[in-house]
Amino acid sequence: MRTTLAVAPMMDWTDRHCRFFHRQLTRRALLYTEMVVADAIIHGARERLLGFDDVEHPVALQLGGSDPQRLAEAAVIGEAFGYDEINLNVGCPSDRVQSGTFGACLMKTPALVAKCVAAMKAAVKIPVTVKCRLGVDDQDPETALDALADGVLAAGADALWVHARKAWLEGLSPKENRDIPPLDYARVYRLKARKPNEFIGINGGIQSLDEASEHLGHVDGAMLGRAAYHTPGVLTGIDTAFYGEPPTAFDYAALVDAMAAYAARHIEKGGRLGHVTRHMVGLFHGLPGARRYRQILSTDANKPGAGPEVLRAAFAAIDFAQAEAA
């Protein structure tokens, strides 16, 4: 069974600029898009919704929806764009997702989720996976998670990622749903023990690579979410710790060159520097010069006409001797 480290799909965060940046920090971790609604892909501006840089591979497209045939059609489009995996969102608790009858509320209809997986599996050659919660509202996580897992794995899902919290669709906001429901990693471990031949990954509250490693003693994959976004420097250790890459000092000069060139291309297409740099603010957390770095990226990078030179000025504020020693 393969071991996978991944950066979780996160709405409003893991856009193409974020993923390009994260890929500079780890060559091997699996990256995910934000959730994209199947109907939007079918009827909307596909390049804007699905376009990505080839350097992002391996990268998975996360879909939202509950209609098997529409999801299959969207999966075919995603495969044609070059994505390495299609993932179905059965975990997002937001109001707009519930109103569309997809996301976490699908935990209540495991048979429908299985039909969605089967339709996508029949339509594409790339892996089809599912990301879910332990359950929703008053569901018993023991029965709810088993029902969902049994259905989607029997339908051919190549992996099941479990956010180890319930989702409360009534009474908690999406933000509160990321913190208030208690984590229950042991429930995911029990699922893996019951499904030893299936890929089961875990997500939720993982703060470090050491914590990820501990989880991998019980499951097949670990997914970093907010820790990867707010302190992205954690990603620089993944390739050595989990994929056997030789340990080397991280090349920050190459990073700033890559991001400056990427930002220049984005600006030439009519974008703004802040679209790229907003994902980079937490990179040097705790290092000398980090405060000035954050100030530059939070203010100067968002001024009209800001260009790659602002990004270089931010990097120049960091004591890289300290960064390389960290």
Side-chain angles (χ1 to χ4, degrees):
M1 190 72 65
R2 71 189 187 280
T3 294
T4 298
L5 262 288
V7 177
M10 292 174 281
M11 292 294 291
D12 300 320
W13 286 359
T14 52
D15 63 16
R16 62 187 302 173
H17 310 307
C18 178
R19 298 191 308 267
F20 183 93
F21 169 52
H22 284 174
R23 182 55 73 215
Q24 309 310 307
L25 306 178
T26 167
R27 297 192 309 111
R28 304 290 293 276
L30 177 60
L31 304 181
Y32 281 82
T33 69
E34 304 170 88
M35 183 187 67
V36 187
V37 177
D39 281 357
I41 291 173
I42 295 168
H43 302 294
R46 294 177 185 175
E47 177 58 35
R48 179 179 61 81
L49 292 168
L50 298 181
F52 67 96
D53 193 290
D54 282 345
V55 77
E56 293 174 38
H57 291 293
V59 59
L61 168 63
Q62 187 181 67
L63 295 179
S66 59
D67 182 284
Q69 294 312 310
R70 289 178 182 173
L71 283 165
E73 186 176 349
V76 168
I77 295 168
E79 182 179 46
F81 262 78
Y83 283 95
D84 300 296
E85 173 188 313
I86 303 296
N87 177 267
L88 179 62
N89 183 315
V90 188
C92 182
S94 77
D95 293 339
R96 60 181 174 174
V97 167
Q98 291 182 56
S99 66
T101 321
F102 50 89
C105 63
L106 288 175
M107 293 294 300
K108 298 177 180 180
T109 55
L112 174 58
V113 180
K115 289 179 181 177
C116 293
V117 169
M120 290 188 287
K121 283 291 293 183
V124 300
K125 296 182 174 63
I126 58 177
V128 173
T129 67
V130 173
K131 187 169 185 288
C132 69
R133 291 277 186 136
L134 299 180
V136 295
D137 296 335
D138 292 322
Q139 284 185 322
D140 179 353
E142 295 299 324
T143 55
L145 182 58
D146 279 352
L148 191 285
D150 289 348
V152 300
L153 293 171
D158 295 284
L160 178 64
W161 290 93
V162 185
H163 185 151
R165 285 186 174 94
K166 290 180 73 173
W168 287 92
L169 306 181
E170 301 290 339
L172 292 182
S173 70
K175 182 179 186 300
E176 291 170 330
N177 262 298
R178 292 192 292 269
D179 293 300
I180 293 177
L183 287 159
D184 187 357
Y185 296 133
R187 177 63 189 96
V188 187
Y189 299 167
R190 291 195 295 276
L191 175 64
K192 175 58 189 177
R194 198 171 69 83
K195 297 284 187 182
N197 298 319
E198 307 284 359
F199 184 103
I200 305 296
I202 199 165
N203 170 227
I206 302 173
Q207 297 297 316
S208 68
L209 298 189
D210 285 343
E211 289 182 24
S213 183
E214 290 178 14
H215 287 300
L216 291 174
H218 304 274
V219 295
D220 306 299
M223 188 176 269
L224 299 173
R226 283 171 289 171
Y229 191 84
H230 292 305
T231 56
V234 71
L235 301 179
T236 63
I238 286 177
D239 297 352
T240 295
F242 299 100
Y243 293 96
E245 298 280 341
T248 56
F250 188 78
D251 190 343
Y252 287 99
L255 173 63
V256 69
D257 286 345
M259 294 311 302
Y262 178 84
R265 295 194 297 273
H266 177 62
I267 293 166
E268 287 172 6
K269 296 175 183 176
R272 298 184 61 179
L273 180 65
H275 297 160
V276 176
T277 58
R278 74 184 184 97
H279 304 296
M280 303 174 62
V281 173
L283 178 60
F284 296 111
H285 181 76
L287 291 176
R291 183 178 180 183
R292 179 59 183 147
Y293 169 86
R294 292 193 299 270
Q295 288 174 337
I296 293 171
L297 292 191
S298 299
T299 56
D300 296 356
N302 291 301
K303 293 177 179 177
E309 69 282 355
V310 174
L311 179 57
R312 292 189 180 278
F315 270 72
I318 299 297
D319 180 345
F320 280 103
Q322 293 278 355
E324 290 166 2

